[in-house]
């Protein structure tokens, strides 16, 4: 009996030590994340101001109207919140609005790097909340296409109201619009007919067996998961409405 009691006590002590170790590990991760965030922010602030006359920058800040600065801060914050709500909807509410907004802030910061690295970072950071990378990446692509479609619509309306618009402007604009609509149509097609994508993957794996190591079928499922709003009218309408709201505020 004493041996059994002693083993139970040791088990409790071991579990208690494991809990403490996990808490310490989480605390250390948070500290490291905070330090890295501060360092990255300082780096980008330096990159933004390195070629500027800091005296003139400070003078401009002092001349700014505090009321307008507050209004701009509120508008920017609300705009980021609306984008967070939109992205959360595209991910089928797998993230909270706070989590989506936090990741978006990091992504916008890293978009200052070449090749819009912030978009890739968003997909990677979403995996911390158990969102598959391909699902997040596909939702980002869908988000960018929705934004681009809105730009195309605005351009078409603007150009239609301009007299004697040059063909050098209307030609590339039309070509760009057709490309965006075609890309959007491809996404709609594969979201509506996922079996076509699976047959294509099966064909590729049969012709090139080494691709089986990449689990293309699973990656395709995750990608199609990010296109769910295209199959649900309510989700698509929600994405469009929040896109219009965020653009109106921005």
């Amino acid at each position: 009996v004493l041996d059994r009691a002693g083993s139970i006590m040791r088990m409790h002590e071991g579990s208690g030590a494991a809990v403490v170790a996990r808490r310490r590990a989480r605390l250390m991760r948070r500290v490291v994340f905070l330090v890295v965030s501060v360092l990255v922010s300082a780096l980008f602030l330096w990159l933004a101001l390195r070629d500027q006359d800091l005296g003139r920058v400070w003078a401009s800040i002092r001349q700014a109207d505090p009321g307008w600065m507050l209004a701009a801060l509120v508008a920017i914050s609300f705009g980021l919140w609306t984008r967070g709500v939109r992205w959360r909807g595209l991910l089928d509410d797998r993230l909270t609005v706070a989590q989506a907004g936090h990741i978006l802030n990091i992504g916008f910061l890293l978009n200052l790097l070449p090749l819009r690295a912030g978009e890739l970072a968003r997909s990677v950071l979403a995996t911390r909340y158990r969102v598959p990378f391909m699902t997040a990446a596909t939702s980002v692509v869908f988000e960018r296409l929705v934004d681009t479609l809105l730009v195309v619509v605005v351009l078409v309306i603007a150009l239609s109201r301009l007299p004697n618009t040059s063909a050098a402007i209307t030609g590339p604009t039309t070509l760009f619009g057709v490309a965006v609509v075609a890309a959007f149509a491809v996404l709609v097609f594969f979201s509506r007919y996922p079996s076509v994508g699976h047959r294509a993957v099966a064909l590729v794996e049969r012709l090139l067996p080494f691709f089986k190591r990449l689990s293309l079928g699973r990656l395709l499922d995750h990608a199609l998961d990010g296109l769910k709003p295209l199959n649900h009218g309510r989700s698509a309408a929600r994405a469009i409405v929040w896109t219009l709201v965020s653009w109106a505020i921005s």
Side-chain angles (χ1 to χ4, degrees):
V1 173
L2 292 175
D3 290 341
R4 186 175 180 182
S7 63
I8 292 174
M9 291 179 63
R10 286 192 294 272
M11 288 176 60
H12 281 292
E13 290 175 357
S15 62
V19 170
V20 172
R22 286 197 295 270
R23 288 178 178 174
R24 287 179 178 175
R26 284 198 297 267
L27 178 61
M28 285 301 299
R29 285 197 297 268
R30 290 178 180 176
V31 170
V32 170
F33 182 77
L34 178 61
V35 171
V36 171
S37 299
V38 171
L39 291 176
V40 170
S41 299
L43 172 62
F44 280 98
L45 184 62
W46 175 77
L47 289 174
L49 299 177
R50 59 178 176 170
D51 296 325
Q52 304 297 323
D53 184 344
L54 296 183
R56 294 182 62 184
V57 171
W58 177 242
S60 298
I61 293 174
R62 293 182 60 184
Q63 293 175 2
D65 187 333
W68 283 113
M69 291 179 65
L70 179 61
L73 179 61
V74 171
I76 292 172
S77 300
F78 189 55
L80 289 173
W81 179 79
T82 59
R83 291 177 183 273
V85 172
R86 179 181 67 169
W87 194 37
R88 178 176 183 253
L90 293 177
L91 291 175
D92 203 18
D93 296 337
R94 298 184 186 185
L95 300 176
T96 65
V97 176
Q99 290 167 347
H102 177 63
I103 294 174
L104 275 167
N105 280 331
I106 297 174
F108 284 139
L109 176 64
L110 295 180
N111 274 342
L112 296 173
L113 296 174
L115 303 178
R116 295 185 67 85
E119 309 297 7
L120 176 63
R122 283 172 58 187
S123 303
V124 173
L125 290 172
T127 61
R128 297 176 59 192
Y129 304 101
R130 300 182 180 179
V131 177
F133 174 83
M134 285 301 297
T135 301
T138 309
S139 70
V140 171
V141 172
F142 176 74
E143 189 182 74
R144 294 281 74 81
L145 280 176
V146 171
D147 285 339
T148 307
L149 275 175
L150 182 59
V151 171
V152 170
V153 171
V154 172
L155 279 175
V156 169
I157 294 174
L159 291 176
S160 66
R161 294 178 176 274
L162 292 176
N164 302 322
T165 305
S166 171
I169 298 177
T170 57
T173 302
T174 303
L175 185 62
F176 177 70
V178 170
V180 172
V181 172
F184 198 81
V186 169
L187 293 183
V188 171
F189 177 81
F190 281 108
S191 67
R192 293 294 180 89
Y193 305 100
S195 59
V196 176
H198 284 290
R199 286 199 295 268
V201 168
L203 177 62
V204 169
E205 290 180 340
R206 188 165 61 251
L207 296 176
L208 302 170
F210 61 88
F211 273 114
K212 292 182 179 179
R213 301 177 182 178
L214 301 178
S215 301
L216 295 180
R218 180 173 59 84
L219 293 176
L220 177 61
D221 287 334
H222 289 166
L224 293 174
D225 198 25
L227 297 177
K228 276 186 177 180
L230 293 176
N231 289 325
H232 300 86
R234 186 175 180 180
S235 298
R238 177 182 175 183
I240 293 172
V241 168
W242 282 111
T243 297
L244 293 173
V245 172
S246 63
W247 273 69
I249 294 171
S250 302

